[in-house]
Amino acid sequence: MTVELRHLRAFLAIAAEGTITRAAARLHVTQPALSRTLRQLEAHLGARLIDRSTHHLRLTVAGHAFQPRAAAAVTAVDEALDPARAGTWPLRLGHAWSALGEHTTPLLRRWKQEHPDTPLQLLRVDDRNAGLDRGTVDVAVIRGEADLPAEVNTVALLLEPRVAAVAADSPLARRTRLTLRDLIARPIAVNTIAGTTALGLWPPDDTPDDTIEVANTDDWIAAIAAGDAVGVTTTATAITYPNPAVAYLPLAGVPAVTVHLAWKQPPSHPAVPDFIALAQRLIPAPPSTTGG
């Protein structure tokens, strides 16, 4: 049997809706036809994708692993067949925050000059892998360590020094530089989705007493500007997110953060190798890949 796009759409609809009934209504097919399509897909893969033992269907371990691959395949086909995109095929560059900092604009401008027929689309995705695992981007900017599958290639592009972020009216803002110890008396704002700062950055015997968890950079900055917390980030944030209520100060005694470019192999866009080469040409190579 040859797997078709309808098999993937059927699986994704069932996974999203949780029942065959609702999924069938969503796809405008009968329930028996949808169940048959799912069985065909499972037979082809040699694995059970949906646990049917309860009234509300659930994904199996294999189903959870297959879901992002199926979603990426459907997204790629939909975009390829989108009439609005006929004649253009944008290269999608994903980032969770700050893109490439001070290098972002020069890189975008140079790409436009050298590749005028291939638009470069910058996408912010609040995700540790900046949308790469979901197939929503072709290349991802990833800071620090990330859990990436074997088919993903990475290159260390640059090192970003860490800085402290404090409220501009805080006594700490009057200092010329700070240390991790200077921050422990205040709650630490931690971006749990895509940030590079965790309590493990501090020595085990000298860690902060409290944290404020946020899910994106906007909320992180808001917490610091309000004086509710302090934070640790990189110089890219200070460049990309200047705020009169937030002071960014050099942070002594901490390792820099390695910024990687990551892409799937084979590439999801034919221009990926050209983009990697351009980025490496414009941005000086880091002296090492330690840090994170």
Side-chain angles (χ1 to χ4, degrees), residues 20-37:
I20 294 289
T21 301
R22 290 201 298 265
R26 172 175 168 175
L27 296 175
H28 305 290
V29 299
T30 65
Q31 295 180 43
L34 185 58
S35 296
R36 184 166 57 252
T37 301

Side-chain angles (χ1 to χ4, degrees), residues 14-15 17-23 35 38 50-60:
I14 296 171
E17 297 294 341
T19 70
I20 294 289
T21 301
R22 290 201 298 265
S35 296
L38 175 62
I50 303 289
D51 181 2
R52 305 168 179 78
S53 61
T54 61
H55 177 70
H56 188 84
L57 306 183
R58 299 182 184 276
L59 295 180
T60 63

Side-chain angles (χ1 to χ4, degrees), residues 87-88 108-120:
T88 64
L108 293 176
R109 288 180 177 272
R110 181 63 67 86
W111 178 266
K112 187 175 182 179
Q113 292 173 359
E114 297 188 7
H115 302 272
D117 296 329
T118 304
L120 180 57

